[in-house]
Amino acid sequence: MGSYVHVEKGLPADVPVDALTLECWVRPWRLNRWQGVVTQYDYPAACGYGLFIDPEGRVLFYLGDGGAFREELLHAGPRINHRRWTHIVGAWNGETKTLWVAGRHVGSWPRADPVRPGPAPIRRGGYGENGVADHSLDGDLAMPVIYPRALDAADVKQRIAATRAVFEGATRHDVPAATLGCWPLDEESGETIADASGHGRHGRLI
């Protein structure tokens, strides 16, 4: 397996969340196997939430109850481009989960039951299976963020503009307010990946 970032301090396992958004930029180098992007998820028994890439190269959004995997809670978006940066947002407002890919709304699905993160750690660039870290991302990941609210279309547009400016060298990393975890990934050395949210969800490069 490749490298990923392990965050031991995940969202509280059994505390229901009222709303949630996962955001990141991803540049995949392979699109022919299961890969975790941003997850708190250990298949098949501790499935909380996550953004994934499947063997068809599609983005998937899972939002569960922290327990056993439920197929009906996994929803797919479009295939993304090989070796190109793509902005991804999976949001949930307490009633509906929505997926944006490259700033485009690609799907919405009803989801009104309680959502719980489950006992898995947060992994950036991978997810667990049977208690073992696996399915690492073969690609690059930038600016992953977890929000305690649902981003809407205007928010997505603003975030793309703000973070794209970082890629173009026009500004420093933009750290949004009121997040549950935010990792600019601007460390130039070492194994510690700092969380800019203030919640102390610092990661370790594995």
Side-chain angles (χ1 to χ4, degrees), residues 48-69:
Y49 60 82
L51 294 172
F52 306 85
I53 299 172
D54 75 0
E56 298 178 34
R58 301 178 301 172
V59 175
L60 292 95
F61 182 24
Y62 185 86
L63 203 59
D65 59 11
F69 174 73

Side-chain angles (χ1 to χ4, degrees), residues 105-130:
H105 173 239
V106 298
S108 291
W109 306 271
R111 178 73 174 96
D113 294 339
V115 170
R116 294 180 177 84
I122 295 172
R123 295 182 176 97
R124 302 195 307 281
Y127 68 90
E129 183 168 352
N130 294 315

Side-chain angles (χ1 to χ4, degrees), residues 1 33-37 43 125-129 132-137:
M1 61 174 287
R33 60 180 177 81
W34 281 98
Q35 301 174 72
V37 181
Y43 180 84
Y127 68 90
E129 183 168 352
V132 178
D134 203 347
H135 307 286
S136 59
L137 174 68

Side-chain angles (χ1 to χ4, degrees), residues 12-190:
D14 296 322
V15 179
V17 297
D18 296 322
L20 191 72
T21 295
L22 310 176
E23 179 203 11
C24 67
W25 288 83
V26 64
R27 179 171 61 179
W29 295 101
R30 292 178 59 188
L31 291 171
N32 61 355
R33 60 180 177 81
W34 281 98
Q35 301 174 72
V37 181
V38 179
T39 71
Q40 187 166 338
Y41 181 98
D42 194 303
Y43 180 84
C47 300
Y49 60 82
L51 294 172
F52 306 85
I53 299 172
D54 75 0
E56 298 178 34
R58 301 178 301 172
V59 175
L60 292 95
F61 182 24
Y62 185 86
L63 203 59
D65 59 11
F69 174 73
R70 294 167 58 187
E71 176 118 22
E72 72 273 18
L73 301 180
L74 181 66
H75 293 100
R79 179 182 171 89
I80 59 175
N81 292 319
H82 184 231
R83 301 192 177 191
R84 291 182 59 185
W85 284 108
T86 301
H87 185 256
I88 302 172
V89 171
W92 178 64
N93 63 6
E95 297 180 352
T96 304
K97 57 186 292 195
T98 304
L99 184 62
W100 280 271
V101 176
R104 184 167 61 93
H105 173 239
V106 298
S108 291
W109 306 271
R111 178 73 174 96
D113 294 339
V115 170
R116 294 180 177 84
I122 295 172
R123 295 182 176 97
R124 302 195 307 281
Y127 68 90
E129 183 168 352
N130 294 315
V132 178
D134 203 347
H135 307 286
S136 59
L137 174 68
D138 191 346
D140 300 315
L141 182 65
M143 202 60 187
V145 186
I146 302 175
Y147 302 83
R149 63 184 182 91
L151 298 192
D152 60 20
D155 294 323
V156 172
K157 182 178 179 180
Q158 185 276 329
R159 289 298 300 153
I160 289 176
T163 50
R164 180 175 285 147
V166 174
F167 287 106
E168 295 171 351
T171 184
R172 295 177 61 84
H173 284 286
D174 174 65
V175 177
T179 66
L180 297 173
C182 176
W183 301 272
L185 303 178
D186 53 6
E187 290 83 3
E188 296 183 359
S189 62

